[in-house]
Amino acid sequence: MVYLWLRAETKAMEHRAALTPSTCKTLLDRGFKITVERSPERIFDDEEYAKVGCHMVPIGEWRKAPKEAYIVGLKELPEGETDPLHHTHIFFAHCFKNQGGWTEILSRFDEGQGTILDLEFLNDAQGRRVAAFGYHAGFAGAAIGVDDWCHQKLNPGQVLPPYTPFPNEAKLINHIKERLDRAVALNNGDIPEVMVMGALGRCGKGACDFARAVGIPEEKIIKWDMAETKAGGPFPRILQAEIFVNCIYLNQPIPPFFTPAMLDGDRKLSIIVDVSCDTTNPHNPIPVYSINTTFDKAVVKVETKNPLPLEVCSIDHLPTLLPRESSEAFSRDLLPTIIDLEKREESNVWGGAEALFREKVQAMRSVR
């Protein structure tokens, strides 16, 4: 019997869940055992899990879970803790690409003889991720990009208000479409150009779909991918779009898309949405900011010699703007792989994830 323990997320304003009540019911019907930590932040009510048969426990009880339980979550573990970790955790660890703090988190698992099976690196035989939040990340990122452009026109010089989750895509689209119509009217009828980098991937498709949904015409959606960027940056064309949405998956060093000095010159660009959010990656191709923003402070100002405002959105959990829809889609895609835990030793997906963890532990040991 496979035992899953869904921990409560502790990241501020994280409302998604890796396992939804509907997914849990399917797994329980197969004979899985599931414990769910209560959470006031999760978009799904505790009662929804209890109703399908999950065992409910208080927040943070995963530390006392039986050794055989898989601890399932989404975002990082609570900050400030250094104790060894003994369980097998399934989550986005954000430590396999040398991000900030990568050696610390890996050493905790190494010391406790625990394991990370990273959701980001669950790949099928074709090397494609079995489940990802990419589409909704791009969708939500483009939404904030367009909304911030509107805010700059409607409320110049004022701070962008905090965001709270939307119940569904339609509510989000209608809210921003209304603001866009008013902002375009103030902009002499000129609709902003949205440039999407990595437009052919899941994330890029989400960004393009949002732009279309709020009425931005196709010729104003500039779609770049591998063919347009194969020569390497910098790319001055980015500066001529009002809104730039970066949706690439960074897995190797690349030249920057633009340099800080380029921003001092002529440009129309006023909002950068870094959906990829490789903030602490040493090869971040957008080297004009150094912090992650949050839903209560969604953008950070970039200082330039050009009087036109420029802001960056670098929220690293954008899909939580649409937590129910993004969770349902992700959990549904993840379900077949979770079922394969019944025969994990035969699964290439889980085997590949564990092998990568062992490889990264060896790399950590070599630098500590």
Side-chain angles (χ1 to χ4, degrees):
M1 179 181 62
V2 179
Y3 189 2
L4 304 177
W5 188 295
L6 182 64
R7 62 175 171 83
E9 300 294 330
T10 55
K11 186 180 182 72
M13 300 185 71
E14 179 55 79
H15 306 290
R16 295 171 296 164
L19 301 175
T20 65
S22 58
T23 301
C24 286
K25 179 160 191 325
T26 299
L27 294 168
L28 288 165
D29 288 346
R30 287 187 64 94
F32 279 62
K33 180 179 180 180
I34 303 177
T35 292
V36 175
E37 294 185 358
R38 298 184 183 278
S39 171
E41 296 297 323
R42 194 185 291 127
I43 189 64
F44 304 98
D45 292 338
D46 294 338
E47 289 70 25
E48 294 182 68
Y49 288 98
K51 186 176 180 180
V52 299
C54 297
H55 175 59
M56 308 302 295
V57 297
I59 293 174
E61 290 290 294
W62 62 265
R63 297 172 181 82
K64 304 175 186 176
K67 183 71 165 61
E68 69 272 14
Y70 291 92
I71 311 301
V72 182
L74 285 178
K75 301 304 288 184
E76 301 92 334
L77 296 172
E79 295 181 358
E81 297 185 0
T82 59
D83 51 307
L85 294 166
H86 311 286
H87 294 91
T88 295
H89 285 246
I90 301 173
F91 72 123
F92 290 103
H94 298 303
C95 65
F96 284 3
K97 295 190 288 184
N98 295 6
Q99 295 100 320
W102 72 280
T103 58
E104 287 80 3
I105 184 66
L106 284 171
S107 67
R108 292 179 65 195
F109 279 92
D110 191 26
E111 292 167 13
Q113 298 184 330
T115 304
I116 297 173
L117 299 175
D118 198 307
L119 289 167
E120 184 177 350
F121 300 97
L122 298 182
N123 298 321
D124 63 18
Q126 288 72 45
R128 185 174 175 81
R129 290 172 64 180
V130 300
F133 281 100
Y135 180 86
H136 283 96
F139 196 94
I144 291 178
V146 173
D147 193 46
D148 190 38
W149 181 86
C150 295
H151 184 76
Q152 292 174 359
K153 302 299 179 186
L154 297 171
N155 308 97
Q158 295 185 25
V159 175
L160 185 67
Y163 287 95
T164 54
F166 285 78
N168 54 57
E169 290 179 7
K171 294 283 189 182
L172 174 63
I173 291 167
N174 291 338
H175 170 72
I176 295 182
K177 190 176 189 309
E178 184 273 331
R179 283 169 57 79
L180 180 61
D181 291 344
R182 290 193 289 123
V184 167
L186 286 177
N187 198 45
N188 300 315
D190 291 336
I191 297 173
E193 193 174 74
V194 178
M195 184 170 184
V196 179
M197 189 71 81
L200 299 182
R202 288 172 173 163
C203 182
K205 288 177 181 176
C208 293
D209 281 354
F210 178 83
R212 295 184 189 104
V214 293
I216 294 177
E218 203 66 30
E219 65 270 17
K220 289 276 191 174
I221 306 172
I222 310 304
K223 299 175 281 290
W224 277 30
D225 209 274
M226 298 290 288
E228 293 80 6
T229 60
K230 61 184 178 182
F235 304 111
R237 177 65 179 85
I238 294 173
L239 306 185
Q240 298 312 307
E242 285 86 351
I243 302 164
F244 175 61
V245 186
N246 176 37
C247 296
I248 71 161
Y249 182 75
L250 184 65
N251 58 6
Q252 62 185 5
I254 60 173
F257 292 155
F258 46 80
T259 65
M262 291 171 64
L263 302 177
D264 293 334
D266 178 60
R267 61 173 166 84
K268 295 180 181 178
L269 184 66
S270 66
I271 173 67
I272 300 165
V273 182
D274 191 5
V275 180
S276 303
C277 219
D278 287 297
T279 311
T280 63
N281 190 310
H283 307 298
N284 181 8
I286 303 178
V288 299
Y289 77 100
S290 59
I291 64 168
N292 286 120
T293 59
T294 57
F295 282 108
D296 56 345
K297 295 180 180 178
V299 296
V300 60
K301 185 177 180 181
V302 179
E303 299 293 340
T304 74
K305 295 178 182 178
N306 187 316
L308 182 68
L310 178 61
E311 295 173 317
V312 173
C313 171
S314 56
I315 297 172
D316 67 359
H317 58 142
L318 283 164
T320 204
L321 193 64
L322 292 165
R324 184 172 289 269
E325 287 168 309
S326 63
S327 295
E328 290 286 13
F330 179 84
S331 192
R332 185 169 55 247
D333 289 346
L334 184 63
L335 179 59
T337 303
I338 292 292
I339 290 173
D340 280 348
L341 286 172
E342 294 173 334
K343 49 182 188 302
R344 176 178 154 192
E345 66 282 353
E346 301 174 19
S347 167
N348 291 330
V349 175
W350 292 116
E354 183 168 358
L356 182 60
F357 167 72
R358 303 297 173 200
E359 174 188 319
K360 296 302 179 180
V361 167
Q362 289 299 323
M364 176 274 297
R365 290 171 178 170
S366 69
V367 298
R368 281 180 70 86

